[in-house]
């Protein structure tokens, strides 16, 4: 996820200043600029598929038990439900509670740049935890860090609180997908990875579809974004509590021993 972090860093350092100087009508310029950047990257990604080996043959499938995976999968659903609320409404919250000394552009620029920089560093920070784990501890730990980061602006309603929040969210937000991927690879045979990840990703997608709409409704009813952000932090923490109950599947020890890829840290 270094690419996502790089994009956040680059846009954080540029776009708030563009909007401050040119106004809201500059958004089309931003979208066009991102499209120009993404075009060569897309071509490079397509070219890279020539060297990407699939773990299974197209028609090869293996059954896998859903119930023992539910703690991680539901935790991943709650991640989707809660994290996008922060990503969607954090700038609006900063606009309402920003610094009296710094401009909105400066506050949001530093916030988004910190978010991106910490996302880039996250694999280095969490490598020690992700290596050789077959349980839900990586997801629980990163979700807890994310929940603390999401609630921090409400606890420390200042520029320092906003920037510290961005650091904690950045260092954890992209590691939750790595955690669920690592859990699947460490506990299930390679022939099951595709279908298991499809289930997990579908639950995540449902969560991030519902989350911002629900948080927006809660904020409208309560009259403040703080309530919506607080609810999202509570949801993320609930996901962490659920993830910590995840235990390795009975066959995980044999699977990990036979599969070097399952032992590699998720990045």
């Amino acid at each position: 996820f270094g690419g996502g972090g790089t994009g956040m860093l680059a846009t954080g350092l540029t776009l708030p200043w563009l909007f401050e100087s040119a106004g809201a009508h500059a958004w089309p310029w931003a979208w066009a600029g991102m499209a120009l950047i993404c075009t060569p990257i897309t071509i490079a990604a397509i070219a890279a598929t020539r060297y990407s080996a699939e773990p299974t043959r197209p028609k090869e499938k293996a059954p896998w038990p859903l119930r023992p995976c539910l703690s991680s999968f539901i935790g991943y659903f709650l991640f989707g439900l809660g994290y996008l609320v922060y990503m969607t409404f954090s700038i609006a919250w900063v606009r309402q509670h920003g610094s009296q000394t710094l401009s909105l552009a400066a506050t949001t620029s530093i916030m988004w740049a910190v978010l991106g920089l910490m996302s880039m560093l996250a694999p280095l920070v969490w490598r020690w935890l992700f290596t050789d784990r077959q349980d839900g501890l990586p997801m629980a730990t990163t979700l807890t860090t994310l929940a603390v980061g999401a609630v921090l602006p409400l606890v420390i309603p200042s520029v320092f609180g906003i920037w510290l929040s961005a650091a904690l969210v950045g260092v954890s937000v992209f590691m939750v997908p790595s955690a669920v991927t690592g859990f699947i690879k460490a506990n299930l045979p390679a022939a099951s990875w595709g279908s298991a990840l499809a289930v997990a990703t579908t639950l995540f997608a449902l969560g991030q579809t519902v989350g911002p709409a629900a948080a927006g409704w809660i904020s409208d009813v309560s009259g403040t974004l703080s309530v919506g952000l607080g609810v999202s932090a509570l949801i993320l923490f609930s996901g962490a509590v659920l993830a910590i109950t995840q235990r390795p599947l009975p066959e995980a020890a044999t699977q990990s021993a036979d599969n070097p890829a399952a032992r590699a840290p998720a990045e």
Side-chain angles (χ1 to χ4, degrees):
F1 293 102
T6 304
M8 288 181 180
L9 177 61
T11 53
L13 292 175
T14 56
L15 295 189
W17 304 104
L18 172 65
F19 301 143
E20 183 180 62
S21 61
H25 68 274
W27 268 111
W29 305 348
W31 291 119
M34 286 188 283
L36 289 174
I37 294 172
C38 288
T39 298
I41 296 175
T42 301
I43 295 172
I46 294 173
T49 60
R50 294 180 298 171
Y51 307 101
S52 178
E54 291 291 335
T56 60
R57 291 186 294 273
K59 295 183 179 180
E60 184 180 0
K61 295 181 180 180
W64 55 278
L66 174 62
R67 183 173 297 179
C69 302
L70 283 179
S71 292
S72 285
F73 283 14
I74 297 176
Y76 197 42
F77 165 77
L78 293 175
F79 163 68
L81 195 64
Y83 98 98
L84 201 59
V85 174
Y86 180 92
M87 305 298 278
T88 303
F89 295 110
S90 58
I91 299 302
W93 191 93
V94 170
R95 185 178 292 112
Q96 291 182 359
H97 303 83
S99 170
Q100 299 298 320
T101 57
L102 292 177
S103 67
L104 177 64
T107 304
T108 55
S109 178
I110 295 173
M111 174 189 175
W112 213 250
V114 168
L115 193 67
L117 179 62
M118 294 307 295
S119 296
M120 295 167 63
L121 297 176
L124 300 177
V125 173
W126 295 109
R127 177 181 289 273
W128 64 273
L129 177 62
F130 276 64
T131 303
D132 293 328
R133 298 300 309 196
Q134 300 166 344
D135 56 14
L137 184 61
M139 179 181 289
T141 306
T142 50
L143 272 175
T144 300
T145 305
L146 181 58
V148 173
V151 79
L152 203 57
L154 309 183
V155 179
I156 310 176
S158 66
V159 171
F160 174 76
I162 292 168
W163 293 342
L164 183 57
S165 165
L168 292 177
V169 171
V171 82
S172 57
V173 65
F174 285 150
M175 297 310 295
V176 182
S178 294
V180 75
T181 303
F183 170 78
I184 289 171
K185 292 177 67 177
N187 286 275
L188 299 176
S192 301
W193 292 353
S195 59
L197 282 170
V199 171
T201 304
T202 300
L203 290 171
F204 164 76
L206 289 172
Q208 72 169 2
T209 300
V210 174
W217 177 80
I218 292 172
S219 297
D220 286 342
V221 170
S222 63
T224 173
L225 287 172
S226 298
V227 175
L229 290 175
V231 170
S232 73
L234 182 61
I235 290 171
L236 292 168
F237 184 71
S238 299
V241 172
L242 190 61
I244 199 63
T245 67
Q246 179 67 63
R247 297 291 179 263
L249 272 60
E251 300 83 2
T254 303
Q255 171 67 19
S256 181
D258 295 339
N259 181 12
R263 299 196 300 271
E267 295 184 9

